[in-house]
Amino acid sequence: MSTRLKKLSSSLKKNNLDGIIVSHLPDIHYLSGFSGSAGTLFVTRKNAYLLTDGRYETQAAAQVNDGVEVLIDRAHYTRLKDEKLVRKGMTLGFQSQYVSVAQYEGMKRIFKKKVKLEAGGRLISELTAVKTEEEVGYIKRAANMAARVFRDVLEIVKPGMRENELAAEISWLGRSHGSEGDAFGIIVASGQRSALPHGRASTKKLKSGELITLDFGCIYKGFNSDMTRTFALGEPGDEARKIYDIVYKAERVGVEQARAGMSAKELDAVCRDIIEDAGYGEAFSHSTGHGLGIEVHEFPGISHRSPDEVKLREGMVVTIEPGIYLPGKFGVRIEDDVLIENGGCRELTSASRKLMVV
Ligand SMILES: [Mn+2]
């Protein structure tokens, strides 16, 4: 068994589970090595089985890690029962946050009352949240690609270009620097659209004097980076500079303060307090950040709504991304990725975060 599977097995034991049914594809990839688009992974305290269909027979055999047995069958739960891998009296975890109602009803129908099903998704999200040195290296590499893309963008961006043309350039540049793809739908939000926290690139043309917010990420070995920069196309004016300074200060204080042992809620408050004290609390309408790794949004959320018991742990990679959005005017956000360490954090994003005027 791989180290990742061994860690999951020992947490099954701690949580009195005999096994766990993994349905979420990024988690299946992380745990088994299989990257296909259909599958179920069943992990017990000693073994792991990947169920997938005939389309993936060759790929699954080539990709799975040592100790994962591949079963080719379209009827995943029935096969688990028929092979007696799922047996009477077992207590099994499942990923309640990802399983559809139809899948859940299928599990109940096929396993009948013989098996007890418990929500166990937390076991996997806590496992993927803490990165190994090697995994941090992958995210760092993806973050470096994004930083290079940003430098390139500043060279080519000009008034008259459409937001979606710039998004296409970002995607192309990312891949040309080695990215496996876009980490998520690229955000290019210019002028008044920059007041939309999630303004996907549109057909709007960029104009001189506007602020432009870019939010995008690269992927290396399945691990994502996530970076936001707001820059100005020509002199943006005093109000924009003032708002930029507040967001910059909030982001920098967040990076200075982030460390293992602090709660996610405390880190959110460190950034939020700066923005509230400046009088823009209402204009910071989202949480401060999120875990980052095999998915762009992972456990833990860095939010004012995070439960007190969610603490930052050494080895977690999180984003810090405060913003201020003034509808009808403009918005500013700065986002960096950091590795949580004891006593502090290490920045993984290398792009300049001063206000760039191009
Ligand atoms: Mn983000």
Side-chain angles (χ1 to χ4, degrees):
M1 261 192 180
S2 67
T3 316
R4 291 170 180 176
L5 280 172
K6 275 187 201 145
K7 282 185 188 162
L8 179 58
S9 297
S10 69
S11 86
L12 289 174
K13 217 173 285 174
K14 264 185 235 146
N15 287 275
N16 296 314
L17 293 173
D18 299 301
I20 186 163
I21 298 165
V22 186
S23 311
H24 190 49
L25 291 166
D27 294 332
I28 292 175
H29 187 195
Y30 175 84
L31 290 164
S32 74
F34 174 65
S35 68
S37 67
T40 297
L41 182 69
F42 180 56
V43 182
T44 67
R45 294 187 190 182
K46 290 207 176 84
N47 300 298
Y49 306 90
L50 173 76
L51 295 107
T52 185
D53 58 77
R55 291 173 299 167
Y56 288 118
E57 193 164 358
T58 309
Q59 181 181 331
Q63 284 186 323
V64 292
N65 301 325
D66 280 349
V68 180
E69 190 179 327
V70 178
L71 301 170
I72 300 296
D73 203 319
R74 286 185 66 88
H76 301 173
Y77 305 145
T78 305
R79 181 70 179 265
L80 286 174
K81 190 188 71 174
D82 292 349
E83 296 268 350
K84 297 195 164 42
L85 299 172
V86 170
R87 297 178 302 275
K88 193 176 173 175
M90 278 183 153
T91 302
L92 301 180
F94 73 105
Q95 296 185 288
S96 54
Q97 73 272 49
Y98 297 117
V99 166
S100 68
V101 173
Q103 282 174 316
Y104 182 63
E105 285 178 344
M107 280 182 210
K108 285 206 296 189
R109 189 181 69 247
I110 292 158
F111 301 148
K112 303 252 169 40
K113 291 214 169 98
K114 295 169 183 159
V115 168
K116 199 173 153 204
L117 293 169
E118 277 184 13
R122 193 179 44 82
L123 266 54
I124 297 173
S125 56
E126 285 184 358
L127 185 66
T128 59
V130 175
K131 274 74 185 173
T132 63
E133 198 57 44
E134 191 180 33
E135 292 166 351
V136 171
Y138 299 158
I139 299 172
K140 171 77 187 154
R141 194 139 164 195
N144 284 344
M145 291 172 193
R148 287 178 68 188
V149 170
F150 181 59
R151 282 194 286 272
D152 295 345
V153 162
L154 295 178
E155 299 288 321
I156 60 168
V157 67
K158 56 181 188 293
M161 209 173 190
R162 292 186 192 275
E163 289 178 351
N164 57 11
E165 286 177 62
L166 192 54
E169 293 283 359
I170 289 170
S171 184
W172 188 89
L173 287 164
R175 284 179 191 254
S176 73
H177 292 321
S179 175
E180 288 155 17
D182 302 333
F184 51 89
I186 295 167
I187 289 173
V188 178
S190 61
Q192 289 192 15
R193 291 192 80 252
S194 62
L196 302 170
H198 259 211
R200 288 273 163 90
S202 75
T203 55
K204 180 189 168 296
K205 285 182 176 170
L206 311 179
K207 281 198 286 235
S208 186
E210 285 183 336
L211 287 185
I212 302 169
T213 295
L214 307 179
D215 186 351
F216 63 95
C218 294
I219 310 174
Y220 184 71
K221 289 199 190 267
F223 284 78
N224 296 280
S225 64
D226 188 3
M227 176 175 87
T228 305
R229 289 292 183 269
T230 299
F231 66 96
L233 200 56
E235 177 51 43
D238 291 345
E239 190 181 20
R241 285 187 176 275
K242 177 184 139 190
I243 297 295
Y244 194 95
D245 285 345
I246 299 165
V247 174
Y248 177 84
K249 192 173 161 208
E251 204 261 356
R252 287 295 89 195
V253 170
V255 172
E256 268 165 36
Q257 297 287 319
R259 63 186 185 279
M262 135 190 257
S263 73
K265 197 178 190 168
E266 283 175 275
L267 178 54
D268 179 87
V270 159
C271 298
R272 197 168 299 281
D273 284 351
I274 302 276
I275 292 175
E276 275 175 2
D277 291 349
Y280 292 94
E282 298 278 302
F284 179 17
S285 50
H286 55 76
S287 48
T288 290
H290 51 86
L292 174 74
I294 54 169
E295 291 188 88
V296 175
H297 293 108
E298 290 188 355
F299 176 82
I302 313 294
S303 166
H304 50 296
R305 289 182 300 269
S306 299
D308 291 326
E309 63 271 21
V310 175
K311 305 277 189 219
L312 299 180
R313 288 159 60 192
E314 190 181 14
M316 282 180 170
V317 172
V318 302
T319 69
I320 298 180
E321 50 179 307
I324 293 179
Y325 309 92
L326 304 177
K329 291 183 173 176
F330 57 81
V332 173
R333 179 168 68 255
I334 304 171
E335 174 183 32
D336 286 317
D337 308 334
V338 302
L339 168 67
I340 301 298
E341 296 181 317
N342 288 325
C345 76
R346 197 197 313 165
E347 293 190 71
L348 303 179
T349 310
S350 54
S352 165
R353 47 192 77 73
K354 294 269 185 240
L355 177 59
M356 306 297 281
V357 180
V358 294

